[in-house]
Amino acid sequence: MVQKIIALVFLLGLVLLSAVVSTELSLGANIRSMVIVIGGTLLTTAIAYPWSRFKETLSVLTQTFNHRDEGQTESYIEEMVRLSRINRFQGVRALDEEAQNVGNNFLKLGLELVADGRSRFEIRDVLDKEFDLHISHRESQIGILQTMARMAPAFGLAGTLVGLMKMFTQLSDPSQLGMGMAVALLTTFYGIMVSNLVLLPLSRKLTEYLRFEARGMALIVEGVMAISDHEHPTAVDHRLRAGFLSQLEQKKVGRYLFDRPNEHKRIVALKQKAAR
């Protein structure tokens, strides 16, 4: 509550300061306009959301820029097939030991539930709840960016009003009218550009990242359920490929194996070994 009150006070002071501070035209108008738009947007976001959630959003955005979607689904499928082979031929104790080395916390949770001997219904229920919680958390972060994207043009309009008021108070001195007009136009421009060139694209990027995460988590759920059912690794492989790889991606995988016969022989040998 104290944080929101402080942010609100600074926001009001920012608006008042932008109306009374007068500086040189070219530099002052730009600085004042940027302060109104960016400062106002950040402060209103701080009032609406906890600061910790805002920092989490910045951290996730860094991940989205470092993220590469190419081949991730295929690697997930290979990992699930490997784990199903361990569970089927080495037992749950080996699976439990392998779970401790898994970097994905969601997958680790599912493997631990299987190793703990939980029923199929319990495993599905826990994973679905964890899935929904993660999606809800990401949607909240997307909401922060969308809120900022709505606020930026609004503060651009507010800056326009500030500039017009300053201009009307100096009608007796035509040489000073340019400052007010510059602030009035620049704040509208900055508000539109910050919203449409920065915040909305970031929101869309995070939305696409959420879709990728949801697809990966859904694949993990299906893989864990297959492991819980002690399905054959080859059956797990076919099940996941049919459910999560498009026909085009499946053709690419097939072409990859065709172009690399040694890799194809290695996979066939592993499948034959698993069948025995």
Side-chain angles (χ1 to χ4, degrees):
M1 184 63 182
V2 176
Q3 173 190 344
K4 298 182 185 300
I5 294 175
I6 294 175
L8 183 60
V9 171
F10 272 103
L11 177 61
L12 294 174
L14 179 65
V15 175
L16 294 175
L17 181 63
S18 64
V20 299
V21 174
S22 177
T23 55
E24 189 269 331
L25 176 62
S26 60
L27 179 62
N30 281 278
I31 293 178
R32 191 183 308 183
S33 300
M34 290 296 293
V35 167
I36 292 174
V37 173
I38 297 179
T41 301
L42 292 176
L43 288 174
T44 51
T45 305
I47 295 173
Y49 296 92
W51 179 248
S52 58
R53 186 62 54 83
F54 185 75
K55 292 190 295 184
E56 289 174 1
T57 303
L58 295 178
S59 176
V60 172
L61 285 174
T62 303
Q63 297 177 21
T64 62
F65 282 101
N66 296 329
H67 164 71
R68 295 292 181 272
D69 194 4
E70 186 70 23
Q72 288 294 318
T73 302
E74 175 67 23
S75 65
Y76 276 145
I77 293 175
E78 292 177 355
E79 179 70 3
M80 299 308 302
V81 172
R82 184 182 71 85
L83 293 170
S84 67
R85 186 177 293 109
I86 291 175
N87 180 61
R88 186 177 178 88
F89 298 107
Q90 299 181 33
V92 293
R93 178 172 297 181
L95 182 67
D96 188 30
E97 294 176 355
E98 191 66 25
Q100 307 310 313
N101 300 323
V102 172
N104 188 306
N105 292 329
F106 187 68
L107 176 56
K108 182 178 179 180
L109 174 62
L111 296 177
E112 289 176 343
L113 291 172
V114 173
D116 195 37
R118 300 294 184 90
S119 68
R120 196 176 194 279
F121 173 79
E122 289 178 311
I123 295 173
R124 169 72 75 170
D125 184 58
V126 172
L127 291 181
D128 284 347
K129 288 180 179 178
E130 189 69 21
F131 180 90
D132 292 340
L133 180 63
H134 182 81
I135 297 300
S136 176
H137 196 68
R138 284 284 185 265
E139 287 177 345
S140 176
Q141 295 169 346
I142 294 172
I144 291 178
L145 294 175
Q146 292 177 341
T147 298
M148 295 177 69
R150 290 193 298 268
M151 290 296 103
F155 277 96
L157 179 60
T160 299
L161 296 177
V162 170
L164 291 176
M165 287 186 293
K166 182 176 180 62
M167 185 177 64
F168 288 143
T169 58
Q170 296 176 342
L171 290 177
S172 59
D173 186 3
S175 63
Q176 296 296 320
L177 296 180
M179 173 64 76
M181 181 61 71
V183 173
L185 297 178
L186 282 173
T187 48
T188 301
F189 172 75
Y190 287 147
I192 293 173
M193 299 303 285
V194 168
S195 175
N196 291 278
L197 290 183
V198 179
L199 297 174
L200 286 178
L202 289 178
S203 173
R204 185 63 184 177
K205 188 173 184 64
L206 187 54
T207 300
E208 292 300 320
Y209 183 67
L210 172 59
R211 289 181 179 178
F212 167 79
E213 285 187 318
R215 183 185 185 187
M217 294 177 75
L219 188 153
I220 289 174
V221 171
E222 289 299 318
V224 169
M225 299 311 300
I227 292 174
S228 176
D229 294 338
H230 295 278
E231 290 188 12
H232 194 280
T234 304
V236 175
D237 182 71
H238 292 319
R239 174 177 175 176
L240 296 180
R241 289 187 187 281
F244 295 94
L245 282 181
S246 66
Q247 292 184 356
L248 178 61
E249 289 173 321
Q250 292 182 39
K251 289 180 180 179
K252 287 182 179 179
V253 172
R255 191 181 304 114
Y256 174 85
L257 297 178
F258 180 79
D259 293 340
R260 295 164 176 78
N262 293 332
E263 182 70 12
H264 177 63
K265 291 179 181 179
R266 186 183 71 82
I267 293 179
V268 171
L270 287 174
K271 291 183 178 180
Q272 292 175 347
K273 182 179 179 181
R276 292 196 296 268

